Structure formats: C-alpha cells, structure tokens
C-alpha cells in the first residue's frame, strides 16, 4: 500500500516569522471589511426583529 501523505509537517513558527506580502495584507483587510459588514447586517436584523416583536 502506498502512503500518499508525503507533505512536510506544518511549522507554525516558520509561518509566523515570514513577513506578510501585499496580497496577504489586502486579503486580511477585505476579510475584516466583510466581517464588519456582516456583523452590522446581523445587528440591523436583530433590531428589526425586536421592533417587530414590540409592535
């Protein structure tokens, strides 16, 4: 039987020691913006639902 998993183990210290590329920085900024917008939408939905329940 052949072992297909020949990947090297993930080294977290090596990963964290690398400087971020501009693409990594842009990807993180985009993810933060999407998360902020998503959370704002959830909060608005909760406020609408609370107002609907009070009425």
């Amino acid at each position: 039987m052949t072992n297909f998993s020949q990947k090297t183990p993930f080294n977290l210290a090596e990963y964290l020691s690398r400087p971020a590329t501009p693409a990594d920085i842009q990807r993180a900024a985009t993810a933060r913006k999407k998360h902020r917008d998503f959370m704002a939408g959830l909060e608005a939905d909760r406020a609408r639902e609370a107002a609907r329940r009070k009425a």
Side-chain angles (χ1 to χ4, degrees):
M1 184 162 177
T2 305
N3 184 3
F4 290 102
S5 179
Q6 298 295 326
K7 288 173 46 176
T8 58
F10 180 72
N11 186 347
L12 181 61
E14 178 186 326
Y15 175 77
L16 293 175
S17 68
R18 289 185 312 184
T21 63
D24 292 336
I25 295 168
Q26 182 63 39
R27 189 171 24 254
T30 302
R32 282 193 302 273
K33 183 181 183 306
K34 284 177 74 174
H35 179 70
R36 186 180 63 236
D37 294 346
F38 175 76
M39 294 305 285
L42 280 182
E43 192 61 35
D45 290 344
R46 287 183 186 142
R48 272 196 303 272
E49 184 65 23
R52 187 183 67 79
R53 287 183 185 192
K54 284 184 178 181

